[in-house]
């Protein structure tokens, strides 16, 4: 079977094809191939995913049609789940499942929000717990929606799908989530100076022999290990020995490397409700149903859940079956393969926060920021960017907004443009708390300015004065020139927090279009929508 796509240069976005259900593959093979095509084709600027129906129409010479034209108004990471579900009311099941996702298109699940929901709805993906950013909230909604599939006919009209002849499953490429490569951890250096309230690290890896190749804009997937102190505490709460056998492994190893010890899943509370009684049984059932009887449900990780019901002695194997798998973590890559071939770097905030008298640790961030020794070999992979890449025309200007660790992909962009001697202008907006302690890569950026690669640098410091200044304030302040860049064809990029910063920046850009482009608010928003459709407004948010 031949898949045909429109060449990227003839369209502002590239097409990611999906195999239709009529293709001569088993459901499992079709699911794998769809994911493979998504990884291959999404490396083009502005790539988007097509449904099986859209792909079939495309192969027949028609354009996308049907439900995909609804615009997915819920596809906004800043919207709470209940609002997203309200916007999707009355839609087909795959669309409502899409609305239940976290709307970040982060790729941690191995799909986009849209393709993951379709894979669940058509039965090619059975796991409902892969949306890491959505957490328990998304999982509960997906379970509720998946219940609608029970007893439903396997195919339209109730007809059973006809068996397709099996085709050999292609070998999984090395350096992908399904077949990670091995990289060497080279070391870390602290980016904050004395006086900072943050702990941010520049982390480097050697890719030699890993099979991993990447482009700027891609993300790096890492398989972390849980904090040994937390693992020991969970073992103590279970009253179980570290060498308790779990499927030819030890309980300690499974807790360290295979299961998530973060937010306690509903299944764990179900298990607890079966082995306790009275008021504690009622409380465990309430927690399993998503209720919050004591006002602490949001703070209950696996250890806290076990400690909330002291004295219980659940079977360790039953507990393991209740826990979610430990998912890989994705980070924006902050290096350029053109500038530093064979090397890859990240910019990582080590996450630590206090809850109930105990310090919680980000699994991968503190692993990278302190626990992993230099020279350690780690399993890792590349998540290809979905519509987040430099313009193919190197003469185009680039406007980058990346506060905090959001600077990561833009450091990569700048190194790439400098190494390629790209003639286009580059403008970076960077912000953090304090200039003296939180100005990441200050010397590098100064060198790029001196070399003529970084045309403009605007900074915003929220804790240096009586008035808090953010990147969106700088965007409004320099609106006239920014508007001139956009009118000349510049591309606009943003990286960082999806729920607040990204929204605030988009509002600031709408204000610029309104004030300097002579538009009312509705036309300004339409202008930004057109930028997005043309691949000139791209976001990497989390």
């Amino acid at each position: 079977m031949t898949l045909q796509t429109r060449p990227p240069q003839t369209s502002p976005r590239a097409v990611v094809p999906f195999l239709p259900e009529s293709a001569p593959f088993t459901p499992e093979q079709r699911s794998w191939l769809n994911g493979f095509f998504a990884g291959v084709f999404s490396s083009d600027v502005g790539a988007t995913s097509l449904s099986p129906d859209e792909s079939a129409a495309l192969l027949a010479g028609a354009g996308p049609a049907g439900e995909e034209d609804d615009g997915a108004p819920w596809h906004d990471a800043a919207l709470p789940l209940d609002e997203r579900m309200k916007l999707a009311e009355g839609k087909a099941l795959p669309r409502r499942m899409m609305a239940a996702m976290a709307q970040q298109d982060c790729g941690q699940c191995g799909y986009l929000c849209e393709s993951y929901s379709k894979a669940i709805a058509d039965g090619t993906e059975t796991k409902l717990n892969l949306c890491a950013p959505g957490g328990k909230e998304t999982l509960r909604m997906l379970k509720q929606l998946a219940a609608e599939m029970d007893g439903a006919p396997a195919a339209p009209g109730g007809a059973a799908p006809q068996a397709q002849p099996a085709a050999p499953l292609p070998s999984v490429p090395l350096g992908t989530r399904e077949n990670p490569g091995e990289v060497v951890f080279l070391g870390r250096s602290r980016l904050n100076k004395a006086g900072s309230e943050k702990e941010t690290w520049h982390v480097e890896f050697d890719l030699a022999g890993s099979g991993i190749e990447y482009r700027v804009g891609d993300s790096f997937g890492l398989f972390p290990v849980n904090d040994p102190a937390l693992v020991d505490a969970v073992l103590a709460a279970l009253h179980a020995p570290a060498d308790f056998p779990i499927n030819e492994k030890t309980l300690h190893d499974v807790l360290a490397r295979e299961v998530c010890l973060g937010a306690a899943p509903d299944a764990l509370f179900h298990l607890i409700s079966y082995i306790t009684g009275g008021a504690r049984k009622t409380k465990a059932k309430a927690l399993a149903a998503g209720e919050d009887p004591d006002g602490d449900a949001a703070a209950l990780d696996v250890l806290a859940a076990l400690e909330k019901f002291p004295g219980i002695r659940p079977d360790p194997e039953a507990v393991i079956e209740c826990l979610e798998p430990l998912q890989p973590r994705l980070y924006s890559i902050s290096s350029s393969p053109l500038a530093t071939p064979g090397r890859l770097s990240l910019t990582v905030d080590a996450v630590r926060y206090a809850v109930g008298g105990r310090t919680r640790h980000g699994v991968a961030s503190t692993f990278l920021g302190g626990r992993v020794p230099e020279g350690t070999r780690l399993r890792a992979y590349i998540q290809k960017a979905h519509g987040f890449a430099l313009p193919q025309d190197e003469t185009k200007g680039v406007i980058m907004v990346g506060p905090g660790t959001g600077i990561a992909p833009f450091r990569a962009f700048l190194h790439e443009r400098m190494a390629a001697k790209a003639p286009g202008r580059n403008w970076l907006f960077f912000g953090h708390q304090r200039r003296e302690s939180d100005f990441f890569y200050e010397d590098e950026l100064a060198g790029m300015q001196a070399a003529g690669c970084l045309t403009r640098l605007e900074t915003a410091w929220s804790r240096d004065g009586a008035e808090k200044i953010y990147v969106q304030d700088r965007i409004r302040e320099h609106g006239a020139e920014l508007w001139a860049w956009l009118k000349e064809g510049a591309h606009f990029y943003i990286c960082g927090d999806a729920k607040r910063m990204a929204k605030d920046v988009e509002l600031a850009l709408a204000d610029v279009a309104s004030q300097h482009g002579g538009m009312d608010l509705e036309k300004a928003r339409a202008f930004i929508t057109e930028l997005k459709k043309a691949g000139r407004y791209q976001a990497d948010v989390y």
Side-chain angles (χ1 to χ4, degrees), residues 154-474:
Q162 295 186 2
Q164 299 291 341
L169 189 65
S171 59
V172 180
L174 184 62
T176 59
R177 179 183 169 123
E178 296 78 13
N179 187 15
E182 274 199 345
V183 301
V184 177
F185 177 76
L186 294 177
R188 65 183 75 84
S189 56
R190 181 80 178 266
L191 290 173
N192 319 91
K193 297 175 184 175
S196 177
E197 298 177 21
K198 300 286 188 176
E199 181 188 332
T200 310
W201 298 90
H202 177 80
V203 182
E204 294 204 346
F205 301 89
D206 183 354
L207 304 181
S210 68
I212 286 179
E213 296 180 355
Y214 72 97
R215 297 181 182 180
V216 294
D218 290 346
S219 297
F220 184 69
L222 178 76
F223 292 83
V225 177
N226 282 315
D227 182 359
L230 178 60
V231 171
D232 290 343
V234 171
L235 286 169
L238 288 172
H239 306 283
D243 60 355
F244 186 96
I246 302 285
N247 296 328
E248 301 182 353
K249 299 178 183 178
T250 68
L251 177 59
H252 182 280
D253 284 347
V254 172
L255 288 172
R257 297 178 180 276
E258 296 188 10
V259 295
C260 175
L261 300 181
D266 296 341
L268 180 60
F269 293 115
H270 277 297
L271 174 65
I272 293 171
S273 74
Y274 297 145
I275 59 176
T276 190
R280 298 209 305 174
K281 184 182 190 74
T282 301
K283 185 174 295 185
K285 282 186 173 181
L287 287 164
E291 300 171 16
D292 193 1
D294 295 333
D296 63 351
L300 296 177
D301 63 359
V302 171
L303 176 58
L306 294 171
E307 291 177 341
K308 189 175 179 66
F309 299 89
I312 62 171
R313 289 180 177 267
D315 177 73
E317 193 164 10
V319 171
I320 293 300
E321 289 177 356
C322 291
L323 302 184
E324 306 289 352
L326 182 60
Q327 301 284 359
R329 289 343 193 231
L330 282 178
Y331 291 95
S332 300
I333 298 172
S334 60
S335 57
S336 157
L338 190 60
T340 54
R343 301 280 285 266
L344 182 147
S345 72
L346 308 176
T347 306
V348 179
D349 265 342
V351 178
R352 293 185 175 87
Y353 55 98
V355 178
R358 174 161 61 90
T359 300
R360 308 284 178 92
H361 301 269
V363 177
S365 66
T366 55
F367 178 64
L368 294 173
R371 289 190 281 116
V372 58
E374 293 181 13
T376 301
R377 302 190 72 85
L378 302 171
R379 292 189 304 143
Y381 66 98
I382 295 298
Q383 177 68 47
K384 292 298 182 182
H386 299 284
F388 192 79
L390 283 167
Q392 292 181 352
D393 184 349
E394 294 183 343
T395 66
K396 296 296 184 183
V398 168
I399 302 166
M400 301 161 285
V401 183
T405 56
I407 195 176
F410 304 136
R411 177 182 184 267
F413 279 16
L414 289 168
H415 276 285
E416 181 89 354
R417 298 265 275 189
M418 193 167 182
K421 297 181 173 57
R425 297 181 296 170
N426 303 296
W427 189 350
L428 174 66
F429 289 82
F430 173 74
H432 211 306
Q433 292 183 350
R434 297 178 175 87
R435 188 193 190 288
E436 288 303 314
S437 57
D438 300 311
F439 198 165
F440 301 162
Y441 305 112
E442 180 180 5
D443 292 341
E444 276 189 27
L445 295 175
M448 290 178 176
Q449 281 186 290
C453 175
L454 181 53
T455 313
R456 293 198 60 162
L457 173 63
E458 309 298 339
T459 57
W461 311 108
S462 62
R463 306 289 176 85
D464 272 350
E467 182 181 358
K468 291 186 176 181
I469 304 297
Y470 298 103
V471 286
Q472 58 265 28
D473 299 316
R474 296 300 188 211

Side-chain angles (χ1 to χ4, degrees), residues 49-54 57 63-74 87-99 114 117-118 121:
S49 300
L50 295 184
S51 69
D53 288 344
E54 288 177 320
E67 185 108 61
E68 304 305 321
D69 291 334
D70 59 17
W74 55 81
L87 288 169
E89 280 181 3
K91 299 292 184 182
L93 182 61
R95 305 302 280 166
R96 285 181 284 136
M97 285 185 165
M98 179 188 174
E114 184 174 17
S117 61
K118 288 178 178 175

